[in-house]
Amino acid sequence: MDTNHPSYTVVRGTRGSMALFAFALMLVAFAASLPFWGESSWMREFVEIACYFIFAMMWNLMAGYGGMVSIGQQAFFGLGGYVMLSLGNFWGVNPFVAVVLGAIVAGLISIPVSWVAFRLQGGYFAIGTWVISEVARLSIANVSAVGGGSGTTLTALRGIEKATRESVTYWMALACVVASISLVYLFLRSKQGLALLAIRDNEVAARSQGIAVGRMKLAVYAVAAFGAGLAGALYFVGNLRISPDAAFSVNWSAFAIFMVVIGGIGRIEGPLVGALVFWAMNKFFSEYGTWYLIGLGLIAIVMTVYFKQGLWGFVQQRWGWTLFPTARKLQLK
Amino acid sequence: METVIQGVLLGGLYGLFALGLSLMFGVMRLTNTAHGDFIILGSFSTLTLVNLGLSPWLAMLATLPLAWLMGYALQRYVLNGTLGKDPLPSLVVTFGMSIVVQNLLLELFSADPRSIDTGGFSTQGIAFSPELSVGVLPVVILALALAVTAALQWMFTSTALGRTFRAVSDDREIAELMGLNARKVYALATALAFVLVGLAGSLQGVRTTVSPADGPALLLFAFEAVIMGGMGSFWGTLAGAMLLGLTQQVGFRLDPGWGIWGGHLMFLFVLVLRPQGLFPKTRG
């Protein structure tokens, strides 16, 4: 989209970014055919990393664009999972439909939650959201209908054949990945997205330009909660077993932070690159257990202190590549 | 009655957890998400010194200068670089530290809960009446919490060091124009906060068992106490800790699964009704 004016042009996409975009589309089409020739372990792995990625993507939207650093997004991850499971087990809703419903419920619940969470700012907000997710964890652990502290199993998928279940879960995960990238991309390219970037860069200035800062932040918080709920519901459809400790684990936020920091915060490509790096590290080093986690922590610290822009930020600065052009660049004639 | 006393005594311990966090919040607006893990690190270093043959009390005393050095170095060489208007870098770095500390302790000491052996002191009690007996150790902890709070408040209002803390907290640029080195002042504040963290950790290890994964829970308790008490006031922090201790104790009394949960709910309740906390800004 170029806006023409006698003395300048506003540039967004370049030819390179269009080519990369076309390549990404082909990659998605290719990935969609995986169930016909791939192994079921690949599909399971993809579903898992897709959940991590969607969750990280939403964390990036909040922290990198909305300026809200949260350590409590697992509240919505777990809620999405539990809502999906309850709808499937108790009300006979098809679990794949329930995934979307779970995400919607998580998004809706985030609105009253924000009323409490938004009383805190900056670092206090981060830990406050963590408290809220702990409240969710302890509350669910007291509900015996979903197995209390020890959790329960998704029984609603019992009648479905394993191969069908795995393929459908895989396609669903792929669709969710594409949908969440598109959602964030289109959101950031819209007028609201521009307002969001303005708030991130200078909240006071943005407010003085007539941007409703509070409403924008709430919108971002709700979208991010929806996405986290989607990731959670999807994860537990793939996993079939849920427990409060797994669903509301702070590790979800820890891994999201790691992925975003590695890939580059405040860029759509960031979590994508981060998720790939995380997947590779998980595959090759997770057998080292605690040392692996120590390594992840150290990398996050070193990256934040010395290499703030992340891997994709480096690529972008060095070669000017963008896969998802959301910035508007001014070219003077 | 017993629940109230137990709650106040528990509040004393939480007060010690929270004062270090309050100090770092107050001086440099730094949210240390690894606070709880450093408390546990304090417990384990005291434990290690005891295992090396020191008496428990000497080990506690020896932990404090170690904590000071660690806090000073950490702030001077790592955390100072993350301060700024954007809260993200300091949050990510301290969160990374939390993961590193937690997993290092797990690697070194395994996940088994441990306790610092004080030769029976931790179980001694004073009986006020046949039904009511209070442990000596919790009373000592409460007394320490009161003393530390008073000392911090006095230091902030009446000493040169406290004045520099307040100066860099109010306006870093002006303070630097007046010849203060803000980075050094920050390092001193963190060093002091870490001494409190070390003290709290040792006492936690004596009072109960500790395991490497306990850190995050302690961070949340400390944080709740600080926010409920109100920013910028040490007595407020202690009051917040008392309220948290009382609520948890009442919750535990009703149902063992409700203690921690009730404490969190009380925090959210206070946040909704009085977002500025109970006693904000009494530091002046």
Side-chain angles (χ1 to χ4, degrees):
Chain A
M1 188 189 84
D2 288 5
T3 315
N4 287 308
H5 195 271
S7 60
Y8 61 87
T9 336
V10 177
V11 183
R12 301 188 106 175
T14 60
R15 199 170 294 166
S17 70
M18 292 300 279
L20 276 172
F21 187 68
F23 175 72
L25 278 184
M26 285 191 313
L27 202 65
V28 169
F30 174 69
S33 69
L34 181 86
F36 301 109
W37 48 269
E39 286 172 29
S40 78
S41 68
W42 298 354
M43 285 190 267
R44 270 204 305 277
E45 216 164 295
F46 178 84
V47 172
E48 200 177 319
I49 201 68
C51 296
Y52 279 106
F53 166 71
I54 296 170
F55 190 76
M57 183 89 184
M58 295 303 158
W59 194 86
N60 182 40
L61 177 70
M62 264 180 75
Y65 291 99
M68 292 177 277
V69 185
S70 162
I71 314 182
Q73 282 303 94
Q74 65 272 19
F76 302 112
F77 185 92
L79 269 175
Y82 268 100
V83 169
M84 178 277 298
L85 179 121
S86 311
L87 287 174
N89 278 6
F90 306 134
W91 283 285
V93 179
N94 181 321
F96 296 109
V97 178
V99 166
V100 180
L101 294 176
I104 292 173
V105 171
L108 288 177
I109 287 180
S110 76
I111 295 168
V113 168
S114 75
W115 181 67
V116 180
F118 283 10
R119 280 157 200 267
L120 298 165
Q121 270 116 37
Y124 315 142
F125 174 80
I127 304 184
T129 53
W130 193 353
V131 173
I132 291 170
S133 89
E134 279 297 288
V135 169
R137 180 176 72 85
L138 294 167
S139 305
I140 300 261
N142 279 324
V143 178
S144 54
V146 288
S150 51
T152 185
T153 312
L154 179 63
T155 50
L157 279 170
R158 261 192 194 146
I160 304 171
E161 200 195 335
K162 186 165 175 271
T164 321
R165 191 192 78 216
E166 284 185 335
S167 310
V168 175
T169 312
Y170 170 79
W171 279 321
M172 184 114 198
L174 187 64
C176 288
V177 167
V178 175
S180 61
I181 294 178
S182 318
L183 177 73
V184 173
Y185 179 52
L186 294 175
F187 181 65
L188 290 176
R189 277 185 74 125
S190 70
K191 202 173 131 197
Q192 275 75 30
L194 195 61
L196 188 61
L197 294 184
I199 294 173
R200 178 191 61 176
D201 292 340
N202 190 332
E203 194 172 319
V204 178
R207 202 188 294 269
S208 76
Q209 297 294 316
I211 294 170
V213 173
R215 228 173 33 215
M216 268 323 291
K217 286 199 159 173
L218 179 59
V220 169
Y221 191 65
V223 169
F226 170 84
L230 188 68
L234 194 62
Y235 184 82
F236 290 105
V237 160
N239 217 28
L240 300 179
R241 182 150 185 91
I242 195 167
S243 71
D245 289 347
F248 297 102
S249 165
V250 73
N251 277 348
W252 289 105
S253 283
F255 293 146
I257 293 173
F258 175 79
M259 282 183 257
V260 172
V261 167
I262 285 282
I265 190 162
R267 298 174 172 82
I268 298 183
E269 299 88 346
L272 201 58
V273 173
L276 287 176
V277 172
F278 180 70
W279 170 77
M281 293 195 55
N282 218 358
K283 200 157 176 63
F284 298 114
F285 301 113
S286 65
E287 61 195 86
Y288 295 100
T290 48
W291 289 113
Y292 164 66
L293 292 170
I294 293 169
L296 290 189
L298 285 176
I299 291 174
I301 295 172
V302 171
M303 290 288 287
T304 312
V305 175
Y306 296 105
F307 204 63
K308 277 196 181 109
Q309 74 273 43
L311 290 177
W312 191 266
F314 175 76
V315 168
Q316 207 171 27
Q317 280 167 3
R318 188 79 204 280
W319 294 291
W321 292 2
T322 18
L323 200 50
F324 301 102
T326 51
R328 292 166 170 81
K329 255 186 232 151
L330 196 65
Q331 271 187 357
L332 299 171
K333 280 180 183 160
Chain B
M1 184 63 195
E2 206 204 320
T3 313
V4 172
I5 293 175
Q6 295 298 338
V8 169
L9 293 175
L10 187 62
L13 183 66
Y14 288 171
L16 282 177
F17 290 168
L19 286 168
L21 195 68
S22 186
L23 180 64
M24 286 175 77
F25 272 161
V27 176
M28 53 213 143
R29 312 272 177 275
L30 177 71
T31 319
N32 179 9
T33 42
H35 185 78
D37 301 289
F38 284 122
I39 293 177
I40 299 297
L41 183 65
S43 317
F44 276 98
S45 29
T46 310
L47 189 75
T48 310
L49 290 172
V50 171
N51 287 346
L52 287 176
L54 258 65
S55 82
W57 307 114
L58 213 57
M60 267 189 187
L61 279 180
T63 303
L64 303 183
L66 290 177
W68 170 281
L69 286 177
M70 178 157 184
Y72 190 90
L74 213 56
Q75 183 68 41
R76 194 78 206 273
Y77 302 107
V78 184
L79 292 176
N80 268 338
T82 67
L83 293 175
K85 220 188 92 208
D86 185 6
L88 184 90
S90 59
L91 279 171
V92 174
V93 167
T94 53
F95 198 61
M97 283 177 187
S98 146
I99 292 168
V100 171
V101 170
Q102 223 178 94
N103 285 287
L104 265 180
L105 288 176
L106 198 62
E107 186 64 38
L108 293 173
F109 297 96
S110 85
D112 303 337
R114 283 145 197 273
S115 173
I116 299 166
D117 185 17
T118 47
F121 178 77
S122 56
T123 49
Q124 273 175 31
I126 321 163
F128 286 104
S129 70
E131 311 88 72
L132 190 66
S133 126
V134 173
V136 176
L137 180 70
V139 173
V140 170
I141 292 175
L142 179 64
L144 270 172
L146 287 168
V148 168
T149 310
L152 275 176
Q153 196 75 47
W154 170 77
M155 187 206 68
F156 255 73
T157 46
S158 319
T159 67
L161 182 64
R163 206 158 53 233
T164 59
F165 281 164
R166 279 183 289 138
V168 290
S169 163
D170 286 346
D171 194 319
R172 181 180 169 166
E173 274 84 30
I174 304 282
E176 286 184 322
L177 281 177
M178 297 296 137
L180 285 176
N181 182 345
R183 302 171 71 85
K184 271 192 188 160
V185 176
Y186 287 161
L188 281 177
T190 304
L192 199 58
F194 267 60
V195 169
L196 298 177
V197 162
L199 180 68
S202 311
L203 292 170
Q204 169 79 350
V206 173
R207 190 182 199 266
T208 175
T209 57
V210 286
S211 87
D214 289 350
L218 303 189
L219 163 73
L220 295 186
F221 298 159
F223 171 76
E224 288 170 348
V226 173
I227 299 287
M228 285 200 288
M231 275 333 150
S233 155
F234 293 117
W235 287 114
T237 299
L238 191 63
M242 296 287 161
L243 180 60
L244 182 66
L246 271 172
T247 316
Q248 284 193 0
Q249 211 54 250
V250 172
F252 279 127
R253 187 97 187 183
L254 296 174
D255 183 307
W258 288 357
I260 312 280
W261 186 62
H264 290 328
L265 287 182
M266 175 57 92
F267 161 72
L268 295 178
F269 186 68
V270 171
L271 192 59
V272 168
L273 287 187
R274 240 184 112 77
Q276 73 274 39
L278 300 172
F279 308 102
K281 294 268 177 213
T282 53
R283 190 193 291 157

